[in-house]
């Protein structure tokens, strides 16, 4: 039994919340142990702080630079990095440092929000389908097949014209596509877990389906989900850059790391800094997300050991 | 020992074998490189997007025209150096009547189709009947409205083609009666909408109204030009080879042309750099200044008959106020756009119709004067930009358009104190918005079809499908109508000049710059001369060290 | 098992039907039409074109007409290109298939071994270095990797053509561009899956019993490690094979990926439908295969349809 001094005050604060022995037993200790393990993982910690830096860099940074990401200066186009422009200027004379920061806001925002959306929808959908099984599972997965096969480009074009261009729309569009694979992966995982003994035990104990899914199945699927989520964020950010490549991404003059990298890729030979710097930030962020994800997965896996 | 290690080794070995075999089979080119091209007289040209159709009566684009003009020759061909001069093509001589409203052409005796049939005047009659058939969707059919009763036949007003002003006097003599005096008719005839098609081939593949395009495929295509169609690999290349029946083949030194359909400009540049192309269709913008400095031998910048401009939707306030439109025109620093943004040696516009026509006195009415612009804006009721609504500048997805749009919007906002925004729409949505006047300001461009200013000015007549601004002026319409029927060149130009002055006073558009053709070319390509319409006769071109 | 397959095929036909219908109406709902161009066509000429392709009829009528010819195997004439849709897909699909196969080979050939090694030698250099390099594959979009490879190996070193699909060696750079990205993803998934299994009790039991380690890897762990990869490969296969628009554009490859995107931009209704249907069939087949293999590999699963 775990001693958790925090429990009593919270209990007292919310007397109408029934005390759930189940939660006390498995919920808290799992997370606490996980936190301990995570803190010992150096790579994960470093990654965490890198990400924190990124967020600060992108969301606070623009207030600190003396340039606006929008102001053109046609006399100062395509300058290499210098003391006045740490990251150089782009082809319209705009300060790259500020644009990388603003671009980061868009990319990080899209990455996190869209991934979260797709995660929530995908995990619930996939787990439910797999757990219920049978015809319901079959039809749910066939629906996923249908949605998967629909032409993404047309879908995006349609949405863009029906709802005007906005960043929020971008989130929705991307999130709406990514959940499909997540659902499929989760379903596969749940199918194998479903057969294990502890689940059968829970069933025979008479727990409700919802409770079994939420309390027993999902925590055990977390490992794969976390790994796949850390693959989804880069996928989402790349999807955003692909949309920029097609001209369906954010509206200019708003930059995103995707559109900045695209501009850089077109100018590799002559102005490599246009590619290297945004790509560096992009990659660093993704690296950190992945190592953090690995760390989370290791920490959350109840069976993982240090040998 | 180690099953996993064995598996690992197995996959590695296999990968190595596969890779090695790829390398080995890589010996041999598949397509010629530039050196082989020079040796064997094969021109390797980057041609931009994949052509939609090789039927001269259905094609609409520059990329298609480049290929079609190698396969088919019209009455008048492209002159090697001067686009204002006519070059005898299928017609070896011609004679207008006194007021240039009736033209008689003598077709040369040694003009043959690629299957051996002689080219006759009746072939032209057949071709024009096809183009003017009410059921035939030829997008440039309007060019043939210059023929007497051409429009009437097309719209179904009359049903006998014999009433249309084209007839075969005999096998080798073609007579065309026009709606009025047309001194520039020979220029019009250079356009591919006037090219002949081979009647027997058309008939053998479904007839004139068949839209499958079967007849244009290699193996079926019959043309009368210097080259014949040999291969059409979609999204890769179109290959044409020297025609065995072309009347002037003796002087030709080029044996084959590969037209590569490369859409991505950076891919095209890489192809050029690695020796796969002799000439490209364009150059990535940011590379231009450095290339001009370091490799002036390969980069070419030729003036091109086209205008880059923005359309203004005059049906929407405040763009319905001519003062506002003038203010917008006066507050763009076009020189800066050309020097810093487009980088391609373009010319800032002084008018709308590009300079370059003989004797046409290009007006000088467009300039950069932000002070005056602000005064006019204040006069219009928006001092300092106050109260000016937030307008959107619409453009279709493209790096080039985006860059210019961002620069121009910034200039407007800075100089006038307004708050213009950008709106980037996908191609078809953009076209749709422009057609339905669902925009404020829209990026546009226009390339001349032939060497006469009327091809730029007629689009702004009332209700013209290419107007798209909602602007209408009765006097303008009158002048254009008159120009199509002017008795001589001077009267023709006088009407057009007056019309253009009206246009430049009312300003339903914001002209920005006059185009240039920028491309890279191997110095071993000879006889390639800069042409205002970028149309060149391939028969004169050759390759040599 | 055969009952399972039969049932799935029946379901697949329904799925295909739904996809066809939804896509059809989606495509027609997008603003624009196949014939709009910078130079406007006179109205009556446009009208002729619409009539010729049957686009002037009400959408429902067009839909039934399309399904009718679809059932006969005719995907219709392209509204924009000169060739028929059947012919276009017939020539572009094999190209994408070939490109996809090479990419898949590279992806599996690099990804699986790297993932396995990283899992086995977890948390050592043999884990960090390959996985970091794998990260590069995930972090770089194809529209960066492609031009970089083309620049280095095509222009500077001259070992390969920078574009084209003419000789066997032309396959290398584009396949690498796609393959490296998927190799990285497969490496990560393999590692993850293998670690899941390696941590389980029965592995520890086997170790305690003295079973030689390589044997543990191959016989016991690999299957478990492969499962998530196969789960992932299902949809990814269809994606790789139906072609990558970006790679095909950069390397001038006449594949179906380009058609997939271009036809949407051109509003070439027939070609959009054709490519979507082919893509849908691919996905359905790939998923079916994946589900079958999953059950074979994991006997604890049954064919989950009853």
């Amino acid at each position: 039994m775990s001693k958790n001094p925090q429990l009593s005050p919270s209990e007292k604060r919310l007397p109408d919340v029934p005390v759930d022995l189940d939660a006390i037993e498995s919920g808290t200790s799992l997370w606490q142990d996980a936190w301990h393990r995570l803190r010992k993982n150096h790579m994960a910690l470093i990654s965490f702080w890198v990400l924190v830096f990124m967020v600060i860099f992108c969301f606070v940074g623009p207030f600190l630079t003396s340039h606006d990401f929008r102001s053109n200066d046609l006399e100062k186009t395509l300058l290499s990095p210098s003391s006045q422009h740490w990251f150089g200027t782009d082809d319209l004379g705009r300060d790259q440092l500020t644009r990388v920061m603003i671009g980061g806001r868009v990319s990080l925002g899209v990455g996190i929000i869209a991934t979260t959306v797709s995660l929530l929808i995908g995990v619930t959908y996939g787990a439910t389908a797999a757990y219920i099984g049978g015809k319901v599972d079959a039809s749910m997965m066939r629906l996923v097949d249908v949605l998967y096969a629909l032409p993404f480009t047309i879908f995006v074009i349609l949405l863009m014209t029906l709802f005007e261009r906005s960043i929020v729309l971008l989130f929705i569009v991307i999130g709406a596509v990514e959940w499909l694979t997540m659902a499929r992966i989760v379903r596969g995982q749940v199918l194998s877990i479903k057969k294990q003994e502890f689940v059968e035990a829970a069933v025979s104990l008479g727990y409700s389906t919802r409770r079994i899914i939420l309390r027993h199945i999902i925590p055990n699927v977390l490992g794969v989900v976390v790994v796949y989520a850390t693959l989804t964020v880069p996928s989402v950010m790349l999807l955003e850059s692909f949309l920029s490549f097609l001209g369906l991404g954010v509206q200019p003059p708003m930059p995103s790391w995707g559109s900045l990298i695209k501009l850089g890729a077109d100018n590799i030979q002559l102005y490599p800094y246009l590619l290297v710097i945004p790509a560096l930030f992009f990659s660093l962020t993704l690296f950190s997300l992945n190592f953090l994800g690995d760390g989370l997965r290791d920490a959350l896996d109840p069976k993982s050991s240090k040998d | 020992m180690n099953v996993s290690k064995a598996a690992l080794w197995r996959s590695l070995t296999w990968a190595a074998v596969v890779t090695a075999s790829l390398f080995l089979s890589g010996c041999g080119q598949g397509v010629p490189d530039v050196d082989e091209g020079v040796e064997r007289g094969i021109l390797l040209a980057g041609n931009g997007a994949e052509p939609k159709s090789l039927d001269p009566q259905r094609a609409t684009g520059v990329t298609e025209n480049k290929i079609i003009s190698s396969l088919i020759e019209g009455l008048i061909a492209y002159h090697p150096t001067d686009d204002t001069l006519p070059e005898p093509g299928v017609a070896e001589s011609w004679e207008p009547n006194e007021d240039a409203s009736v033209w008689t052409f003598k077709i040369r005796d040694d003009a043959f189709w690629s299957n051996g049939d002689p080219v006759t005047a009746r072939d032209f009659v057949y071709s024009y009947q096809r183009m003017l058939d009410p059921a035939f969707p030829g997008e440039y059919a309007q060019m043939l409205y210059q023929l007497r009763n051409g429009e009437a036949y097309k719209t179904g007003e009359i049903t006998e083609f014999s009433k249309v002003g084209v007839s075969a006097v005999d096998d080798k003599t073609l007579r065309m009666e026009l709606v009025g005096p047309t001194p520039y008719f020979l220029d019009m005839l250079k356009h591919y909408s006037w090219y002949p098609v081979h009647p027997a081939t058309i008939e053998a593949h479904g007839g004139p109204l068949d839209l499958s395009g079967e007849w244009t495929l290699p193996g079926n295509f019959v043309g009368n030009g210097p080259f014949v169609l040999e291969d059409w690999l979609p999204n890769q290349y179109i290959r044409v080879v020297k025609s065995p029946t072309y009347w002037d083949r003796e002087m030709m030194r080029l044996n084959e042309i590969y037209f590569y359909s490369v859409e991505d400009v950076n891919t095209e540049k890489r192809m050029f750099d690695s020796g796969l192309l002799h000439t490209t269709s364009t150059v990535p913008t940011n590379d231009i200044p450095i290339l001009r400095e370091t490799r002036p031998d390969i980069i070419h910048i030729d003036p091109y008959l086209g205008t880059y401009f923005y359309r203004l939707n005059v049906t929407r306030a405040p763009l319905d106020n001519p003062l506002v439109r003038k203010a917008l025109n006066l507050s763009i620093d076009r020189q800066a756009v050309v020097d810093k943004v487009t980088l391609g040696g373009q010319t800032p516009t002084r008018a709308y119709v590009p300079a370059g026509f003989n004797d046409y006195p290009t007006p000088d009415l467009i300039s950069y004067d932000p002070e005056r612009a602000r005064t006019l804006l204040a006069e219009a009721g928006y001092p300092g930009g106050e109260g000016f609504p937030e307008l959107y500048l619409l453009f279709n997805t493209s790096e080039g358009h985006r860059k210019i749009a961002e620069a121009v919007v910034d200039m407007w906002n800075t100089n006038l104190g307004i708050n213009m925004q950008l709106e980037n729409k996908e191609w078809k949505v953009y076209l749709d918005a422009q057609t339905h006047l669902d925009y404020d300001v829209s990026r546009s461009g226009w390339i001349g079809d032939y060497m006469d200013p009327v091809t730029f000015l007629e689009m702004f007549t009332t209700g013209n499908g290419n107007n798209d601004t909602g602007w209408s002026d009765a006097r303008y319409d009158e002048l254009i109508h008159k120009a199509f029927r002017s008795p001589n060149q001077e009267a023709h130009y006088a009407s057009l000049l007056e019309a253009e002055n009206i246009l430049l006073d009312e300003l339903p558009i914001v002209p920005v710059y006059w185009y240039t053709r920028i491309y890279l070319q191997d110095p071993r390509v000879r006889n390639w001369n800069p042409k205002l319409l970028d149309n060149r006769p391939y028969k004169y071109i050759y390759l040599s060290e | 098992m055969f009952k399972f397959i039969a049932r799935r095929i029946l379901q697949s036909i329904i799925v295909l039907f739904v996809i066809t219908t939804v896509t059809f109406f989606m495509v027609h709902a997008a603003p624009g039409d196949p014939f709009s161009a910078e130079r406007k066509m006179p109205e009556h000429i446009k009208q002729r074109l619409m009539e010729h392709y049957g686009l002037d009829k009400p959408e429902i009528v067009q839909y039934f007409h399309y399904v009718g010819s679809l059932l006969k195997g005719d995907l219709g004439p392209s509204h924009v290109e000169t060739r028929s849709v059947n012919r276009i897909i017939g020539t572009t699909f094999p190209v994408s298939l070939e490109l996809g196969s090479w990419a898949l080979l590279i992806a599996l050939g690099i990804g699986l071994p790297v993932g396995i090694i990283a899992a086995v030698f977890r948390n050592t250099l043999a884990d960090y270095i390959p996985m970091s390099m794998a990260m590069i594959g995930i972090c770089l979009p194809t529209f960066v990797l492609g031009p970089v490879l083309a620049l280095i190996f095509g222009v500077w070193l001259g070992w390969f053509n920078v574009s084209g699909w003419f000789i066997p060696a032309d396959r290398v750079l584009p396949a690498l561009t796609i393959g490296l990205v998927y190799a990285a993803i497969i490496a990560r998934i393999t590692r993850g899956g293998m670690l899941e299994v390696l941590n389980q009790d029965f592995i520890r039991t086997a170790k305690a019993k003295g079973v030689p380690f390589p044997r543990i890897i191959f016989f016991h762990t690999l299957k478990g490690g492969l499962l998530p990869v196969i789960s992932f490969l299902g949809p990814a296969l269809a994606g790789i094979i139906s072609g990558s628009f970006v790679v095909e554009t950069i390397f001038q490859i006449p594949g179906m990926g380009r058609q997939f995107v271009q036809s949407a931009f051109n509003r070439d209704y027939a070609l959009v439908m054709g490519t979507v249907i082919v893509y849908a069939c691919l996905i359905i087949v790939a998923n079916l295969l994946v589900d079958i293999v999953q059950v074979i590999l994991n006997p604890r699963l049954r064919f989950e349809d009853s």
Side-chain angles (χ1 to χ4, degrees):
Chain A
M1 224 184 70
S2 57
K3 304 169 194 67
N4 197 334
Q6 287 176 342
L7 193 54
S8 314
S10 67
E11 261 188 281
K12 287 187 188 141
R13 247 178 275 137
L14 304 161
D16 46 324
V17 173
V19 174
D20 195 340
L21 284 170
D22 212 66
I24 298 173
E25 205 70 19
S26 61
T28 344
S29 59
L30 173 65
W31 300 115
Q32 270 213 321
D33 283 351
W35 182 240
H36 277 132
R37 254 174 272 153
L38 191 63
R39 281 213 297 220
K40 293 202 184 121
N41 184 336
H42 296 297
M43 285 304 289
L45 271 184
I46 297 176
S47 306
F48 177 71
W49 289 114
V50 169
L51 286 171
V52 167
F53 164 74
M54 281 296 174
V55 170
I56 296 180
F57 180 75
C58 296
F59 286 88
V60 177
F63 298 110
L64 301 175
T65 66
S66 47
H67 300 278
D68 182 53
F69 77 96
R70 255 179 308 209
S71 44
N72 301 343
D73 186 350
L74 295 181
E75 297 300 320
K76 298 218 173 77
T77 58
L78 295 169
L79 295 177
S80 292
S82 65
S83 53
Q84 272 203 310
H85 294 277
W86 291 5
F87 288 177
T89 61
D90 73 352
D91 55 0
L92 283 171
R94 294 179 290 208
D95 178 44
Q96 273 289 89
L97 174 63
T98 319
R99 283 182 72 80
V100 169
M101 290 173 174
I102 302 277
R105 285 189 192 175
V106 174
S107 299
L108 285 172
V110 171
I112 294 173
I113 297 181
T115 302
T116 312
V117 166
S118 72
L119 220 137
L120 289 173
I121 305 178
V123 168
T124 321
Y125 194 92
T128 313
Y131 186 72
I132 298 183
K135 288 217 176 73
V136 176
D137 174 31
S139 23
M140 283 175 90
M141 291 328 278
R142 295 294 83 75
L143 181 63
V144 168
D145 285 348
V146 169
L147 292 175
Y148 210 89
L150 292 181
F152 179 63
T153 323
I154 293 267
F155 182 60
V156 172
I157 294 176
L158 259 184
L159 281 186
M160 293 283 176
T161 51
L162 290 176
F163 293 113
E164 297 301 329
R165 302 279 289 267
S166 73
I167 294 192
V168 176
L169 186 61
L170 202 58
F171 296 157
I172 298 175
V173 164
I174 295 181
V177 167
E178 289 292 325
W179 74 265
L180 297 168
T181 331
M182 178 72 78
R184 197 174 269 129
I185 300 251
V186 168
R187 173 183 176 268
Q189 200 67 6
V190 171
L191 278 183
S192 44
I193 289 182
K194 194 166 125 179
K195 294 295 178 192
Q196 293 190 16
E197 294 78 21
F198 71 92
V199 174
E200 291 180 10
V203 172
S204 58
L205 278 176
Y207 287 163
S208 73
T209 310
R210 186 167 154 274
R211 184 193 214 156
I212 295 183
I213 292 177
L214 283 176
R215 293 241 192 277
H216 292 95
I217 306 237
I218 288 185
N220 283 292
V221 168
L222 274 178
V224 168
V225 168
V226 163
V227 175
Y228 203 72
T230 60
L231 283 181
T232 306
V233 176
S235 165
V236 163
M237 289 170 78
L238 287 171
L239 192 56
E240 184 274 316
S241 69
F242 175 66
L243 285 177
S244 298
F245 181 80
L246 293 181
L248 297 170
V250 275
Q251 200 70 270
M254 181 68 79
S256 68
W257 279 345
S259 64
L260 290 173
I261 292 177
K262 165 81 181 23
L263 183 70
D266 289 342
N267 290 288
I268 303 177
Q269 272 187 290
L270 295 173
Y271 307 101
Y273 66 92
L274 282 178
L275 171 66
V276 170
I277 297 176
L280 207 65
F281 276 82
F282 190 67
S283 306
L284 213 58
T285 308
L286 296 186
F287 258 70
S288 310
L289 281 166
N290 273 281
F291 279 119
L292 188 59
D294 278 354
L296 279 174
R297 200 264 334 281
D298 288 349
L300 285 170
D301 187 348
K303 290 193 233 108
S304 74
S305 47
K306 283 181 296 177
D307 56 14
Chain B
M1 185 207 24
N2 302 286
V3 185
S4 62
K5 256 199 194 157
L8 215 69
W9 272 117
R10 251 193 318 213
S11 44
L12 281 175
T13 324
W14 186 40
V17 168
V18 167
T19 318
S21 63
L22 284 179
F23 265 106
L24 291 173
S25 57
C27 301
Q29 273 291 348
V31 286
D33 64 15
V34 285
D35 297 326
E36 197 187 326
V38 172
E39 239 179 80
R40 295 173 44 196
I42 304 176
L43 181 69
L44 308 170
N47 201 38
E50 167 75 8
K52 302 274 185 298
S53 169
L54 291 184
D55 185 331
Q57 300 183 320
R58 295 195 61 199
T60 52
V62 165
T63 52
E64 286 144 347
N65 181 31
K66 294 240 173 349
I67 304 174
I68 294 176
S69 63
S70 70
L71 299 171
I72 299 188
E73 191 177 57
L75 291 166
I76 309 291
Y78 300 136
H79 191 275
T81 54
D82 191 336
D83 260 332
T84 60
L85 297 177
E87 166 91 348
V90 171
E92 67 180 7
S93 66
W94 47 86
E95 219 184 291
N97 66 351
E98 315 87 57
D99 67 348
S101 65
V102 178
W103 292 74
T104 313
F105 294 88
K106 171 86 175 54
I107 296 176
R108 59 181 75 240
D109 293 320
D110 51 351
F112 289 98
W113 294 98
S114 55
N115 71 338
D117 291 348
V119 178
T120 69
R122 266 171 272 278
D123 296 338
F124 282 87
V125 177
Y126 178 92
S127 306
Y128 297 161
Q129 181 165 12
R130 179 176 188 244
M131 186 62 137
L132 287 173
D133 192 310
F136 184 78
E139 294 182 30
Y140 266 110
Q142 286 182 308
M143 291 283 263
L144 269 62
Y145 287 4
Q146 203 65 12
L147 294 172
R148 193 169 48 83
N149 283 331
E151 188 169 359
Y153 184 76
K154 186 71 176 175
T155 54
E157 240 177 82
I158 60 171
T159 51
E160 288 159 43
F161 191 71
S162 50
K163 295 216 182 93
V164 176
V166 60
S167 55
V169 175
D170 59 51
D171 268 358
K172 292 294 184 179
T173 312
L174 184 69
R175 187 183 144 95
M176 296 207 255
E177 291 159 40
L178 311 175
V179 290
T182 313
Y184 54 91
F185 188 52
L186 294 178
D187 288 315
M188 282 185 95
L189 285 178
K190 290 187 194 176
H191 192 266
Y192 51 88
S193 55
W194 293 92
Y195 284 1
V197 289
H198 187 231
T201 306
I202 305 278
E203 292 297 326
H205 289 100
L209 297 179
D210 180 84
L211 297 183
S212 70
E214 274 295 313
W215 80 267
T216 61
L217 297 175
N220 300 338
F221 197 106
V222 170
N224 66 339
F227 294 88
V228 293
L229 182 63
E230 185 77 3
D231 288 316
W232 185 353
L233 302 181
N235 284 312
Q236 293 184 284
Y237 62 75
I238 291 184
R239 184 167 79 105
V240 302
V241 301
K242 186 162 156 186
S243 164
T245 61
Y246 181 62
W247 62 269
D248 212 5
R249 64 189 173 278
E250 298 300 323
M251 59 80 70
M252 282 170 63
R253 290 163 66 175
L254 203 56
N255 292 318
E256 287 177 36
I257 308 179
Y258 277 73
F259 292 100
Y260 283 96
S261 343
V262 190
E263 277 196 40
D264 186 277
V265 302
N266 293 296
T267 303
E268 195 186 46
K269 171 111 193 323
R270 282 192 293 270
M271 285 175 78
F272 183 85
D273 287 340
S274 61
L276 287 177
L277 290 179
H278 288 117
T279 177
T280 66
S281 65
T282 184
V283 182
T285 312
N286 292 332
D287 292 357
I288 300 177
I290 304 231
L291 284 172
R292 285 175 86 174
E293 233 179 83
T294 58
R295 297 295 313 274
D297 55 322
I298 59 168
I299 185 167
H300 296 252
I301 298 184
D302 305 336
Y304 189 37
L305 204 74
T307 308
Y308 192 97
F309 63 101
Y310 290 110
R311 285 191 160 93
L312 300 173
N313 186 348
V314 306
T315 64
R316 280 192 188 178
L319 295 169
D320 51 352
N321 186 336
L323 291 172
V324 169
R325 301 200 295 264
K326 252 204 191 97
L328 287 174
N329 265 287
L330 287 168
S331 43
I332 301 183
D333 184 356
R334 292 169 177 80
Q335 194 65 52
V337 170
V338 160
D339 289 338
K340 299 285 164 44
V341 180
T342 58
L343 302 172
Q346 292 93 351
T347 313
T349 50
R350 304 189 299 279
Y352 171 60
V353 177
F357 296 100
N358 300 342
D359 303 338
Y360 183 76
T362 306
D364 197 351
L365 293 175
I366 305 271
S367 57
Y368 177 51
D369 191 348
E371 266 308 312
R372 180 135 182 275
R374 285 190 276 271
T375 317
L376 289 175
L377 194 63
E379 237 177 281
Y382 306 101
E386 223 182 282
F388 198 86
E390 205 177 71
L391 297 180
Y392 283 84
L393 189 148
L394 171 70
F395 63 97
N396 57 300
T397 306
S398 140
E399 273 304 302
H401 297 321
R402 172 203 61 88
K403 210 172 153 196
I404 301 173
E406 290 194 83
V408 166
V409 162
D410 192 61
M411 286 178 185
W412 276 333
N413 292 346
T414 314
N415 284 328
L416 296 175
I418 61 179
N419 186 17
M420 266 210 144
Q421 306 278 13
L422 291 162
E423 193 174 35
N424 167 8
K425 288 208 162 125
E426 176 257 329
W427 177 239
K428 291 284 181 177
V429 180
Y430 151 83
L431 284 178
D432 201 62
Q434 211 177 205
T435 312
H436 293 113
L437 286 179
D438 188 13
Y439 70 92
D440 299 318
V441 181
S442 168
R443 166 254 131 198
S444 307
W446 191 262
I447 299 183
D449 291 318
Y450 51 91
M451 288 300 293
D452 192 279
V454 77
T455 159
F456 281 91
L457 293 169
E458 76 170 310
M459 59 198 262
F460 290 113
T461 51
T462 306
N464 186 299
N466 289 303
N467 186 328
D468 286 341
T469 60
W471 183 72
S472 163
D473 185 287
R475 176 73 186 137
Y476 187 89
D477 295 346
E478 218 183 287
L479 286 163
I480 300 295
H481 188 86
K482 202 164 138 201
F484 272 116
R485 288 154 179 76
S486 298
N488 53 46
Q489 190 79 309
E490 288 115 73
H492 182 69
Y493 276 178
S495 305
L496 292 178
L497 187 61
E498 203 186 320
E500 189 173 5
N501 277 311
I502 297 180
L503 186 72
L504 293 173
D505 186 54
E506 289 276 315
L507 289 172
I509 53 175
V510 180
V512 183
Y513 63 80
W514 287 325
Y515 285 179
T516 48
R517 274 276 291 123
I518 311 158
Y519 55 96
L520 298 174
Q521 195 167 88
D522 192 310
R524 295 173 289 185
V525 178
R526 309 280 183 202
N527 241 351
W528 183 287
N529 300 301
K531 308 286 292 315
L532 272 175
L533 285 173
D534 199 36
N535 291 327
R536 48 190 58 76
Y538 292 108
K539 68 188 207 184
Y540 288 111
I541 303 203
Y542 64 97
L543 296 156
S544 90
E545 294 294 343
Chain C
M1 166 144 128
F2 293 112
K3 239 174 55 176
F4 170 72
I5 295 184
R7 209 173 303 141
R8 277 296 280 273
I9 292 185
L10 194 65
Q11 288 172 356
S12 305
I13 295 180
I14 300 179
V15 166
L16 207 53
F17 179 71
V18 173
I19 292 174
T20 309
T21 311
V22 172
T23 308
F24 185 89
F25 289 105
M26 244 171 66
V27 164
H28 282 262
D33 61 73
F35 314 114
S36 45
E38 186 123 37
R39 267 164 209 268
K40 302 296 182 304
M41 231 185 288
E43 260 315 302
H44 60 103
I45 290 185
K46 184 144 170 197
Q47 187 59 23
R48 295 276 166 272
L49 275 174
M50 304 281 275
E51 274 169 25
H52 177 258
Y53 287 106
L55 292 174
D56 57 328
K57 304 208 176 54
E59 265 173 43
I60 275 285
V61 174
Q62 290 182 46
Y63 171 68
F64 283 114
H65 186 254
Y66 182 75
V67 173
S69 60
L70 185 63
L71 291 174
K72 287 186 232 149
D74 179 13
L75 291 167
S78 159
H79 293 121
V80 174
E81 313 284 337
T82 296
R83 293 174 173 73
S84 71
V85 175
N86 283 40
R87 218 193 295 200
I88 295 178
I89 294 188
T91 46
T92 57
F93 180 66
V95 172
S96 290
L97 190 63
E98 191 189 334
L99 176 61
S101 306
W102 286 119
L104 203 59
L105 232 63
I106 293 179
L108 287 171
I110 298 181
L112 281 180
V114 168
I116 294 175
I117 294 178
V120 166
F121 296 108
R122 173 204 200 160
N123 287 333
T124 64
L125 273 183
D127 177 13
Y128 288 142
I129 294 186
M131 290 317 287
S132 299
M133 292 181 61
M135 284 304 302
I136 297 182
I138 297 179
C139 293
L140 280 184
T142 43
F143 61 82
V144 172
L145 194 56
V148 168
L149 289 178
L151 198 60
I152 298 177
F153 296 103
V155 180
W156 291 343
L157 292 173
W159 290 354
F160 298 97
N161 288 332
V162 294
S163 64
W165 191 256
F166 304 112
I167 50 175
D170 287 341
R171 277 59 172 160
V172 175
L173 290 182
L176 263 179
T177 308
I178 301 180
L180 284 178
V181 174
Y182 279 96
I185 300 179
I186 289 179
R188 283 192 60 79
I189 298 185
T190 309
R191 179 179 178 277
M194 296 245 340
L195 284 178
E196 293 277 325
V197 181
L198 275 174
N199 284 326
Q200 288 184 16
D201 292 335
F202 75 90
I203 295 290
R204 281 203 230 161
T205 318
K207 270 196 213 169
K209 275 162 99 182
V211 178
F213 200 52
R215 193 157 160 174
I216 297 182
I217 301 290
F218 194 66
F219 285 132
H220 299 101
T221 328
L222 205 53
K223 264 187 233 173
L226 281 180
L227 268 173
V229 174
I230 293 175
S231 265
F232 166 76
L233 272 187
L237 238 146
I240 302 182
I241 288 180
S242 64
S244 159
F245 170 74
V246 174
V247 170
E248 289 177 14
T249 305
I250 293 174
F251 290 99
Q252 273 301 103
I253 297 174
M256 212 177 81
R258 271 217 275 190
Q259 303 296 346
F260 200 59
V261 174
Q262 283 288 17
S263 58
F265 281 128
N266 287 336
R267 303 294 192 275
D268 188 342
Y269 301 131
L271 191 53
V272 172
M273 296 298 302
T275 49
V276 167
I277 290 175
V278 169
Y279 186 57
C281 289
L282 270 178
I283 293 183
I284 290 174
V285 168
N287 283 336
L288 185 58
L289 284 176
V290 161
D291 284 351
I292 293 180
V293 173
Q294 268 188 329
V295 173
I296 292 179
L297 282 187
N298 187 347
R300 284 204 281 190
L301 295 177
R302 284 280 162 256
F303 288 107
E304 284 287 307
D305 256 27
S306 39

